[in-house]
Each structure stands twice: as structure tokens, then as C-alpha cells.
């Protein structure tokens, strides 16, 4: 067991409240009076979750967006956030961070409620934490990772792998034409989770989470949490024009895309009978849903490409 | 204006929601359905808020306790917390942190609900953030810093200056006998806010906060937020036997105590007519309250010692 896995196992032994959901979900669900509250916290560290050269505006945007993405995946309407900010002496960087923060809070309609500013120790990586609070849709269960049933279809709500290529471009591991480059880097730096889509889908899903670490690893987590198996059909995974333009469409590029992180779209399962309702709900939000696989009994993740089995790659996604 | 003051002023311009209380209070108060929720977030950074040699157990304890102290000062019952943890390779340190976390969460009855574990960049200072959520007492306003009225008495709920001397001992700026040393270091490392006392007092106070940065600076903040003046009678400030044994009882030691941070007891104002009720409420909690001053009209902070005015020290408390 890795150091992090052992640590999280030990944390789990402390987090025994029902509201903690065994620390196995993306969010906690707390009952307060007659109301429920969805809570999520994400921390980003320079050099791990963002690049030192990323613009401060987009660092702030991404911090808010990744938390909002967790709320969207729980079908919760954003109600507020708290920020822990490491304040460096770089006043221009701090000011640009605030510009991005204001833009993101406005765009996702999530009021900044408070937080804490601490001195940043010069020379150490910047680190920021955000807690987001959301109010789930009344009368609807807050979906977890663990509700998938055999026969359910696996869906995603957006193209896969763009942000991973954006990171590769920024790390100069890849080249792309100008338009593709802009689209892929924007996918990495400025994810755009859709709260309205999460709210529209939540009554119809059996399990839902966002894709933060990669389609394959996150599907495996969902299947494991549900005690079920999952099949992903790589040829059904939606790829953007920018991705196809940059790395082409072959098995390797599809596996890469499906194991890259930072997609921040929805990954969910639903009974086959809900397909027409799901498509209608998405259409109302001007969104497109893609069927990428199915849940089975048993356990484990299976990959198919054009109907033929494909061995699992060593690396299913980003593990941090 | 300092960098931090400018930054917080800019944050304030973003945090326009009523629930944020203008970022001028110690906590946000959010309405969810028919319920209210008190939210607070504290971040601690090695070398700023705790010492590298502090035991990991007490670092965790203090992180939880400082957040619970904010809930106590708002008369809110702890309902849960979320932790952002920077996981280093020092497995023994991490394990001891969890021991302290479990002990603190158990002791303050605050369930761990979730959070986020990120890799700690080797060589950089450790940094941890905690968000605590509390449910305020039904039918009672959540007290802010700004409700003090002329004529109100200023009270504190514990001895002042112990933690500051504990820090001085740990930094080898001071010496003390063994028993005093243990008591003062424990005050620094393991503050013990009283939630039950906060709940008992909250219907009776006009303004309440916890003392985190020093009695003088926090009183000045309370008075400023209320648009009133405050008088602190230094000779009335309660000092512990360990403090008196270590630095004696003179004006200098009293000013030092009143401008040292990390007390984590309650600072509140209440109408004079509430004195008997306050004393009775405290007695039921086996707590002792101390009258240390009064609120006046006008503005500014005045110090008295045995009735005679004393000039304000340059340094009213810890500013971070």
C-alpha cells in the first residue's frame, strides 16, 4: 500500500460519520436541520496541480471549477465557497488571481463566503485550498459512486483527453497547430463544468462523479465502489477535433486520452430505459451525452476497441 | 496599506454575499433551506503558526481547536470538518498527526467529513487547512464582532497570555520552572476552546469573538467593527499562576500578556444588566468569566492600570 493509500485508509477509520460517505465519494453530504448540504474540498499545489507558468487568473479559475465540478456531479447547486490563500509578495500575481477568482465565482454563481489568508513562505510552491458548498436538488438522492447496477449504461458528458494534451503542450512534450493548441490548453487551464447539466441529469442516474484523474481510472473507481465490473468501448469515447487533429485517431491516442486527467466532465451510469430521458434533458441544456460502455456483474475494468478486447494499460490515470 | 490588507480589501469587494459578513467576522453564516450554518476556515503553516519541533499530535489538535474556537465564539455546535492535508514522506509524523486529529475530533465532537490529501513538496513548510461547520443555536442571532453598545461590559472566559509565554519558552526566549513550563507550553500547543460555554453565553452577549491574536488587538477589532471605543483595565486581566510565577505581576507583564496571541478563549460584550445571568450560565459550565473593560461611545482603545491611563504599546498583538 502506498503512503497515500495507507494515510487515506487511516483517515477513513476516523471519518466514521455517515455524512463522510466513507471518504469514498467526491463529496460529503451533511444534514442540517431539514436541509442537506454537499461539501467538497480541493487543494492545488504549484508543480503538482498547476504549472508555475500558468497565468494566475486561470489558476484561480481552475481551483473554483474543479470544486464546482464535484458539486455538479452530485447534482448540487453552488451556494458558496471558502478560500485558503497563500499570499506571496508578488502583488501582481495576487491581483491576477483575484481577477480569475471573481470571474469564476461569477460565472459559476458561487459566492465567496470567507476563508483565510496566510503568508506564503518564499521559495516554496504556492498552495491554495477551496471548499465549496452546494444544495442538492430537493427530493432527489445525492448520487454517489456506488449506485451502478449491472446492465446500466456508462455515459460521459464531454470530450475526453483534451486537458491531458494541453498539459503535454505546456510541458513541450507535444506540438500542435495554433488553433488546436489554444483549445487544448484552454481545456487544461479553464475547465467548464456544467452545474445545470448535473442538475438536469441527477434524477435519472444511478451513480455519478466527475472525471478528474482520467476516464479509465475514474470508471474503475466507480465500478469498484459499486461492487460491479465495467466495460469501456474505446472507439465510443468522444474525442475533440483539436485532439484528433493533433494526435490522430488510433488505439494508442484513444488509450492516452482515456487515461489523461483533468477532463472535469460528468461520468455517470443510468438504466438503459432512461436513455431517451437523458438525451432530452441534455438537449435542453445544449449538451451532448456519449455512451462509452456498460456496467456488468463481477468486477474489474475491461477495454474494447471496435468490439475486440484490449489489454489494460499500466497507467489508468493520474494518481496523486 | 500592507500587502495583506490590500489583498483582503480586494477579496472583500468580491465577497459581497450577506453570508460572508463582509469578511469582517470570524465566520460566515449561510442559510440553507430553513437552517443556518456557521462556516470557518483556518490554515496553519509550519514556521508561522506552529514550530517545526511541535509534536504532530498537537499540530493536529491545534488546527481543529482553533477552528472549533471560532464556532464556539459564534455559539455554534460543531457539525463537521474537512481537512486539506499536505502528505509528506514522513510516515511517522503523518501517523502522529492522525492520532492528534482523531483525539481532537473526538474531544470536540466534530466529525471529519472529508477533505483532500495532496503531495507535500519536500523541503517546503508543511501547510494544513481545516474548514469547520457548525449549527447555531435555534432562535438566537449568530453574534458578530459588531454588536457592542456603549455601556456594555467586556468579558473574557479564560486567563490571558499563557500561550504567548509557551511560545517564548519553546523559542528559548524565556525560562520557567518545570510545572509552569508544562502549563504554558500546553496552552500554546493544545488550546481548549469551550463549545458548551459559547452555547450557554450566546443568548446573553451583544458581540463575541475568540481571542486568537491577542486581547488588545482583538478588542480593538471588536470595538472598530462595532463603531465604538473600548477600555481595557489591565489590572483586571486574569493571569494564570504559571504566568505569574514566570514573569511576575507588573505593568510590563500585563501588557505582554494582553498583546500575546493564541489564547483561544472567548472575548465578548454584554449589557451590564446581564451580569448575573452570565455568571450563572458560566457556573453551570464550571467556567469562570472575567470583566476586563467596557465599551464606550467614540472610537479607539484605551488602557488603564489601577485606574490610571497607560499608553498603547506599539504592538497590540499578532498580525499575520
Amino acid at each position: 500500500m502506498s503512503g497515500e493509500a495507507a494515510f487515506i485508509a487511516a483517515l477513513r477509520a476516523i471519518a466514521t460519520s455517515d455524512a463522510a460517505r466513507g471518504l469514498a465519494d467526491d463529496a460529503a453530504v451533511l444534514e442540517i436541520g431539514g436541509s442537506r448540504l454537499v461539501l467538497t474540498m480541493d487543494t492545488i499545489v504549484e508543480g503538482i496541480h498547476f504549472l508555475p507558468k500558468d497565468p494566475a487568473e486561470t489558476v484561480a479559475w481552475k481551483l473554483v471549477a474543479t470544486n464546482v465540478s464535484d458539486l455538479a456531479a452530485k447534482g448540487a447547486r453552488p451556494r458558496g465557497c471558502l478560500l485558503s490563500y497563500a499570499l506571496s509578495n508578488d502583488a501582481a500575481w495576487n491581483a491576477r488571481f483575484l481577477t480569475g477568482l471573481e470571474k469564476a465565482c461569477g460565472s459559476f454563481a458561487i459566492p465567496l463566503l470567507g476563508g483565510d489568508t496566510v503568508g506564503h513562505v518564499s521559495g516554496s510552491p504556492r498552495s491554495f485550498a477551496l471548499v465549496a458548498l452546494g444544495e442538492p436538488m430537493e427530493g432527489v438522492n445525492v448520487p454517489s459512486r456506488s449506485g451502478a447496477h449491472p446492465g446500466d449504461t456508462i455515459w460521459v458528458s464531454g470530450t475526453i483527453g483534451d486537458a491531458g494534451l494541453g498539459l503535454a503542450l505546456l510541458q513541450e512534450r507535444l506540438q500542435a497547430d495554433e488553433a488546436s493548441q489554444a483549445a487544448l490548453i484552454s481545456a487544461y487551464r479553464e475547465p467548464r463544468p456544467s452545474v445545470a447539466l448535473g442538475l438536469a441529469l441527477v434524477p435519472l442516474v444511478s451513480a455519478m462523479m466527475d472525471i478528474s484523474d482520467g476516464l479509465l481510472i475514474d470508471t474503475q473507481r466507480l465500478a469498484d465502489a459499486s461492487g460491479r465490473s465495467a466495460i469501456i468501448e474505446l472507439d465510443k469515447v468522444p474525442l475533440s477535433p483539436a485532439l484528433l487533429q493533433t494526435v490522430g485517431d488510433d488505439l494508442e491516442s484513444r488509450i492516452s486520452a482515456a487515461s489523461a486527467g483533468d477532463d472535469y466532465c460528468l461520468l455517470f451510469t443510468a438504466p438503459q430505459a432512461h436513455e431517451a430521458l437523458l438525451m432530452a434533458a441534455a438537449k435542453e441544456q445544449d449538451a451532448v451525452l456519449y455512451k462509452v460502455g456498460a456496467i456488468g456483474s463481477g468486477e474489474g475494468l475491461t477495454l474494447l476497441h471496435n468490439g475486440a478486447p484490449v489489454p489494460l494499460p499500466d497507467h489508468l490515470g493520474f494518481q496523486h
Side-chain angles (χ1 to χ4, degrees), chain A:
Chain A
M1 187 148 54
S2 77
E4 181 172 5
F7 183 81
I8 290 175
L11 268 181
R12 227 164 243 155
I14 299 176
T16 53
S17 153
D18 283 350
R21 294 188 158 199
L23 304 186
D25 204 3
D26 311 271
V29 183
L30 183 66
E31 294 200 15
I32 293 275
S35 310
R36 291 170 305 162
L37 194 67
V38 174
L39 297 158
T40 182
M41 183 176 208
D42 268 319
T43 307
I44 55 173
V45 180
E46 189 175 39
I48 300 178
H49 306 91
F50 65 95
L51 301 171
K53 67 179 170 184
D54 282 337
E57 290 90 336
T58 69
V59 173
W61 177 279
K62 193 164 177 175
L63 179 61
V64 177
T66 57
N67 277 284
V68 167
S69 178
D70 281 324
L71 296 183
K74 302 293 117 178
R77 190 179 296 286
R79 289 298 312 275
C81 62
L82 293 98
L83 170 70
S84 167
Y85 192 80
L87 185 69
S88 72
N89 292 327
D90 187 342
W93 202 94
N94 295 327
R96 291 199 307 270
F97 184 96
L98 288 183
T99 300
L101 181 72
E102 182 162 23
K103 191 175 146 196
C105 287
S107 177
F108 296 119
I110 185 165
L112 178 68
L113 300 181
D116 195 20
T117 302
V118 296
H120 170 255
V121 177
S122 175
S124 65
R126 289 182 167 93
S127 169
F128 311 104
L130 195 92
V131 166
L133 299 94
E135 198 173 352
M137 186 180 280
E138 215 172 320
V140 176
N141 277 336
V142 177
S144 71
R145 297 180 175 187
S146 62
H149 297 291
D152 282 359
T153 307
I154 303 176
W155 298 81
V156 298
S157 69
T159 60
I160 299 296
D162 298 313
L165 289 193
L167 176 61
L169 288 163
L170 289 167
Q171 291 178 327
E172 298 176 8
R173 293 185 276 116
L174 187 75
Q175 292 196 312
D177 65 62
E178 209 172 311
S180 301
Q181 183 160 326
L184 298 170
I185 289 178
S186 169
Y188 174 72
R189 286 180 170 162
E190 299 176 280
R192 299 183 178 274
S194 171
V195 169
L197 183 60
L199 285 167
L201 298 177
V202 71
L204 302 168
V205 306
S206 52
M208 185 150 67
M209 62 189 292
D210 68 336
I211 306 182
S212 57
D213 292 341
L215 171 60
L216 298 189
I217 198 164
D218 285 331
T219 300
Q220 188 178 57
R221 288 168 178 161
L222 186 151
D224 285 353
S226 299
R228 305 300 181 185
S229 64
I231 294 169
I232 294 285
E233 297 184 72
L234 287 168
D235 49 292
K236 303 274 178 61
V237 171
L239 302 177
S240 71
L243 183 143
L244 292 169
Q245 173 74 20
T246 306
V247 293
D249 185 355
D250 57 20
L251 179 58
E252 194 193 345
S253 62
R254 287 189 167 267
I255 288 179
S256 266
S259 55
D262 282 331
D263 291 315
Y264 299 110
C265 62
L266 299 171
L267 169 68
F268 62 94
T269 58
Q272 288 178 39
H274 286 179
E275 178 165 344
L277 290 169
L278 287 166
M279 301 301 273
K283 198 174 170 196
E284 251 181 53
Q285 303 298 328
D286 285 325
V288 183
L289 302 178
Y290 307 89
K291 288 194 274 189
V292 296
I295 296 293
S297 52
E299 56 184 38
L301 175 65
T302 302
L303 300 189
L304 299 177
H305 190 229
N306 299 322
V310 171
L312 283 185
D314 291 339
H315 169 85
L316 293 179
F318 186 58
Q319 290 187 281
H320 45 140

